[in-house]
Amino acid sequence: MMKILCIGAFSLASIYYAQTFPATAIPENLKKNADAVIRRDFTTVQINKIDEIKYQYNTVTTVLNKDGVSKAMVYIPYGKGDHVSDVKVTIYDESGKKVKSFSKSDFSDFSNNSQSSFYSDSRILVLPYSSVQYPYTVDFSYTTTNENTVFIPDFVPFSTLNTSLEEAQFKVINKSGIELRTKTYASQYNYANVQENSSGEEKSYAYKNVAAIDGLSLLPQPVKILPKVSFSLAQFNLEGHKGGINSWKEFGTWYYNNILQPVSVSTPSIKAEVASLNLQGSTEEKVKKLYQYMQAKTRYIFVALGIGGWQPMLPDEVYKKGYGDCKGLTNYMKTLLDEAGIPSYYCVINSNPSQVLFDPDFPKMGGNHAILMVPTEKGNIWLENTSQQIAFNHLSFSTTDRNVLAIKKDGIEFINTPSSSAEQNTEKQMLKVKINEDNSIDGEALMSFAGSQYDYNFGFVSLSPTEKNEILKKKFDVLNFEKIEMKNFVNDKDNAIAKFNVDFKAVNFSKKAGSSMMFRAVPIYSSNIYKNDENRELPFEIGQAFQDEYDIDFIIPKNYKIEEIPDDFSLNSEFGEYTLKVVKNGDNLKVQRIIKIKKGIYTKEKYNNYISFRKKIMNIDNTKILITKI
């Protein structure tokens, strides 16, 4: 009987490896909008005990064109304590004919550091392969064994746009005797479904025939469209530190005692450092002085050392070296506040342009960033510690309007970061525009940005004058600039406002019509292209609410008179509001323009309504003013 079983297993393996996946076998619906097709994505996770987990991966990807190359790159990230084995790569051509095969010895081994990383235990094996002919298929398999059992990955169909999936399976075999909790999150838009099976120690999940998500305008990120399955082992190990995650309270207590408390260590030098600042005034004033002091003496670099890359550097290391990553700088700032007698909380967050939340009903290890929260009588102060330029008590668009895990001695507390309204996310333009008879204009502008619009502009402070001017030229490309110069840039770090002056000259702004000249009412506006989509299949997302306010003074030539001005306009919709007012003041004109856009995810049926709303605004922005020669 044993011989029969062995022969059967060998035969099945032979059949499996004989599959060559010709590109012609890809269903047509999976080619649509796809640069690459994942033909097979099989993962088997075997949990042997609290400190031993084995992963077996096999991914087969067909690259359809050059844009799909990055989706089939062959690499294996690994960390300290990982054992990588059974590495096999086979390349097939369009017809499924074998082109080449590789083993582990063909890979190069690098430190898996970002450009700004100084220290990391993370490594990566990379196979430098590229093909000159498309399509081609990469069959890639390997096995890793790890002592860390806290990081079982989510199971999703894919994570990138313009990728489709033929078949995926995620199998978990739990031999540890420890409870494995799972939770399936269905697609809100029924984009794909998860097939589930469970038998004894084994659970399996599968997706089949999931079409590619095209890079449509205003598309929510795939994480908001696709289903996923999450996993969390009730008892886990992280580099020798064993813990439980049956509840957020239990996990938070473990996190505090094992991750944060061992590095929450002050020194006489840090005590003297805080004392030398002679802090006075309100709690907010003290926190601001400490925060801006910390910003001035540190810089961000990536550090992935410590317990699984999750433990911060010691505060004394940051103090002496002047650098750290989000964990180290946040922990250092917390230590400075501790020495000043000001309580604060180390917070783990999902930093992402698209809002990603922790599930209060499903505790698991997660998050990709650390920030600090300081409670005060006037409200919470939030500190982003990785930027030397960002304003005090200001979080960027990638960390606002979501929950954090505030790590406390008695467990984890869920706290929401601030949400900003359209009225807080503002761009203000004060323009003085001189109309010249040669159709050019000379302009002076004072521009200021607050809220999320501050996020997009405070980075100007680190650029050269030439770089600033080039970015402005591209940003305001509705004008044909002959020259443009940014002056007097100010990063107001107390109030989270970026502001600057602009001097410019632009040609071909107005048009002559006999003895008259015509020009548009709004010189500088968004030049986005808005296109209807009658076949849209997915919702659209306006990621940030905002409000733009323009005050424009036109100065016309002395030998001209104002002949025609547009009527006042007003638009209202569920997406926002818009007003335009033109006021004649002797020989001068004042134009006032306000646009307010609301944040939200809207159904696909409303997409063309939104496009119509934005097109109407652009048409009104282009409303013409007529002046005639006297």
Side-chain angles (χ1 to χ4, degrees):
M1 184 65 180
M2 182 59 68
K3 291 181 180 179
I4 294 172
L5 287 173
C6 292
I7 293 169
F10 178 80
S11 299
L12 287 172
S14 300
I15 292 170
Y16 170 76
Y17 284 112
Q19 296 184 68
T20 58
F21 299 94
T24 53
I26 299 173
E28 287 302 314
N29 69 304
L30 297 185
K31 293 180 182 178
K32 183 181 178 182
N33 301 322
D35 299 321
V37 181
I38 301 172
R39 315 293 296 279
R40 168 173 284 170
D41 185 5
F42 282 10
T43 299
T44 298
V45 181
Q46 184 170 304
I47 307 166
N48 294 322
K49 51 186 178 178
I50 194 171
D51 56 358
E52 184 181 311
I53 189 167
K54 182 179 181 181
Y55 295 92
Q56 293 175 292
Y57 300 99
N58 176 231
T59 304
V60 181
T61 306
T62 297
V63 178
L64 300 178
N65 54 53
K66 65 179 181 179
D67 293 327
V69 172
S70 62
K71 304 174 191 296
M73 292 182 65
V74 180
Y75 60 92
I76 305 171
Y78 69 100
K80 185 174 68 174
D82 289 354
H83 175 68
V84 180
S85 62
D86 303 325
V87 179
K88 182 177 180 181
V89 180
T90 306
I91 310 296
Y92 299 98
D93 66 12
E94 180 177 6
S95 65
K97 180 181 178 182
K98 179 179 174 181
V99 175
K100 200 166 185 178
S101 61
F102 303 91
S103 64
K104 185 179 178 181
S105 61
D106 297 305
F107 282 66
S108 298
D109 193 340
F110 300 100
S111 176
N112 190 14
N113 294 354
S114 65
Q115 189 175 7
S116 60
S117 174
F118 276 20
Y119 301 108
S120 175
D121 284 331
S122 182
R123 309 276 313 168
I124 187 167
L125 293 168
V126 179
L127 179 67
Y129 177 83
S130 61
S131 176
V132 295
Q133 292 185 324
Y134 306 101
Y136 67 92
T137 298
V138 180
D139 186 344
F140 176 32
S141 60
Y142 67 97
T143 299
T144 63
T145 304
N146 196 304
E147 67 174 1
N148 298 326
T149 52
V150 73
F151 299 118
I152 301 174
D154 291 341
F155 179 46
V156 295
F158 42 75
S159 59
T160 58
L161 299 174
N162 302 109
T163 303
S164 63
L165 172 71
E166 196 165 345
E167 182 181 14
Q169 183 187 88
F170 194 98
K171 183 185 295 184
V172 184
I173 304 169
N174 185 10
K175 296 179 174 294
S176 67
I178 302 169
E179 179 191 3
L180 175 69
R181 293 178 296 105
T182 67
K183 187 168 183 176
T184 299
Y185 300 84
S187 167
Q188 296 182 46
Y189 308 104
N190 199 31
Y191 197 81
N193 296 307
V194 184
Q195 301 170 16
E196 303 182 22
N197 288 290
S198 179
S199 177
E201 298 176 340
E202 186 174 304
K203 296 177 184 286
S204 65
Y205 304 85
Y207 303 109
K208 287 190 176 181
N209 297 319
V210 183
I213 297 176
D214 195 16
L216 301 172
S217 173
L218 300 176
L219 183 75
Q221 294 195 0
V223 67
K224 290 190 173 181
I225 298 171
L226 297 169
K228 73 173 180 179
V229 184
S230 288
F231 307 88
S232 184
L233 202 59
Q235 302 295 319
F236 64 85
N237 177 69
L238 180 58
E239 294 193 7
H241 296 258
K242 295 179 174 60
I245 194 168
N246 291 287
S247 66
W248 284 113
K249 178 179 176 64
E250 180 184 28
F251 181 56
T253 302
W254 175 88
Y255 201 114
Y256 180 88
N257 290 327
N258 290 270
I259 301 293
L260 297 185
Q261 194 62 17
V263 294
S264 298
V265 181
S266 186
T267 63
S269 297
I270 293 175
K271 293 178 187 292
E273 184 180 29
V274 174
S276 69
L277 295 175
N278 191 27
L279 299 174
Q280 296 180 356
S282 66
T283 299
E284 182 177 359
E285 289 170 330
K286 292 176 182 177
V287 175
K288 180 188 289 186
K289 188 168 184 178
L290 274 170
Y291 177 70
Q292 293 181 344
Y293 165 80
M294 183 276 298
Q295 284 183 299
K297 73 161 293 180
T298 62
R299 59 192 174 93
Y300 172 81
I301 59 102
F302 176 73
V303 179
L305 296 175
I307 300 174
W310 285 76
Q311 189 168 61
M313 294 169 60
L314 285 162
D316 193 50
E317 287 187 77
V318 179
Y319 166 77
K320 290 177 179 177
K321 296 176 180 177
Y323 58 71
D325 63 1
C326 66
K327 307 184 299 292
L329 295 172
T330 296
N331 189 48
Y332 175 58
M333 184 65 208
K334 185 180 187 306
T335 304
L336 295 178
L337 290 168
D338 287 344
E339 288 298 339
I342 301 172
S344 62
Y345 298 103
Y346 183 102
C347 297
V348 178
I349 191 170
N350 286 301
S351 177
N352 193 298
S354 208
Q355 179 195 62
V356 177
L357 301 175
F358 294 103
D359 184 351
D361 298 322
F362 192 76
K364 64 169 292 186
M365 180 69 111
N368 61 4
H369 189 49
I371 57 177
L372 200 66
M373 189 277 284
V374 186
T376 74
E377 292 182 356
K378 294 182 179 180
N380 295 334
I381 294 173
W382 295 92
L383 302 179
E384 168 58 65
N385 302 288
T386 58
S387 170
Q388 289 75 49
Q389 303 301 337
I390 200 167
F392 169 73
N393 196 18
H394 175 81
L395 295 180
S396 74
F397 61 86
S398 65
T399 49
T400 52
D401 195 21
R402 65 201 67 200
N403 57 15
V404 304
L405 306 179
I407 313 298
K408 298 186 175 183
K409 187 175 183 178
D410 57 353
I412 280 173
E413 180 182 351
F414 284 85
I415 302 176
N416 292 328
T417 60
S419 296
S420 54
S421 65
E423 292 80 4
Q424 293 171 304
N425 301 329
T426 59
E427 174 189 343
K428 295 185 178 181
Q429 289 187 17
M430 297 185 66
L431 285 173
K432 184 177 289 186
V433 179
K434 180 185 176 185
I435 304 294
N436 300 318
E437 291 191 68
D438 63 357
N439 297 330
S440 69
I441 54 173
D442 292 296
E444 298 176 0
L446 172 61
M447 298 187 174
S448 65
F449 304 87
S452 63
Q453 303 217 54
Y454 167 79
D455 299 332
Y456 299 116
N457 287 276
F458 79 84
F460 274 118
V461 72
S462 61
L463 301 179
S464 70
T466 299
E467 290 171 326
K468 291 175 182 175
N469 295 339
E470 284 300 314
I471 289 176
L472 281 184
K473 195 172 184 179
K474 292 177 181 177
K475 183 176 181 179
F476 303 138
D477 61 0
V478 291
L479 291 176
N480 298 311
F481 289 107
E482 186 176 279
K483 68 172 184 178
I484 185 169
E485 182 183 7
M486 180 191 290
K487 300 189 299 185
N488 307 322
F489 180 87
V490 175
N491 176 19
D492 183 346
K493 295 170 68 175
D494 292 331
N495 300 297
I497 295 174
K499 53 189 175 183
F500 51 84
N501 296 97
V502 182
D503 288 344
F504 63 89
K505 184 179 183 68
V507 298
N508 300 323
F509 177 73
S510 57
K511 291 185 178 179
K512 284 190 170 65
S515 62
S516 300
M517 295 172 64
M518 293 185 297
F519 53 90
R520 64 175 179 264
V522 181
I524 300 175
Y525 62 91
S526 170
S527 60
N528 291 341
I529 298 173
Y530 297 102
K531 292 183 178 180
N532 285 19
D533 186 352
E534 302 300 335
N535 300 310
R536 190 174 181 103
E537 298 177 350
L538 289 169
F540 67 100
E541 180 177 21
I542 302 172
Q544 293 292 321
F546 66 88
Q547 181 165 301
D548 295 345
E549 303 171 13
Y550 297 176
D551 282 327
I552 307 158
D553 286 315
F554 283 106
I555 303 169
I556 68 171
K558 291 182 179 180
N559 55 336
Y560 279 75
K561 66 177 182 178
I562 300 168
E563 190 74 33
E564 292 182 14
I565 62 174
D567 296 330
D568 292 347
F569 286 95
S570 180
L571 289 175
N572 288 282
S573 84
E574 65 177 306
F575 312 111
E577 304 165 7
Y578 173 90
T579 60
L580 184 77
K581 295 181 179 180
V582 183
V583 180
K584 182 179 176 181
N585 182 18
D587 292 333
N588 294 334
L589 284 171
K590 178 178 283 291
V591 177
Q592 293 179 314
R593 173 195 190 264
I594 299 176
I595 178 174
K596 175 181 177 180
I597 299 295
K598 300 176 183 178
K599 175 181 179 177
I601 295 182
Y602 299 87
T603 63
K604 62 183 180 180
E605 289 80 12
K606 295 181 178 181
Y607 180 75
N608 287 335
N609 293 337
Y610 176 70
I611 294 302
S612 176
F613 175 62
R614 295 308 297 261
K615 282 183 174 180
K616 286 178 183 177
I617 291 172
M618 289 188 69
N619 288 336
I620 299 170
D621 284 343
N622 273 292
T623 301
K624 298 300 186 288
I625 295 170
L626 180 68
I627 61 175
T628 302
K629 199 167 190 177
I630 301 172

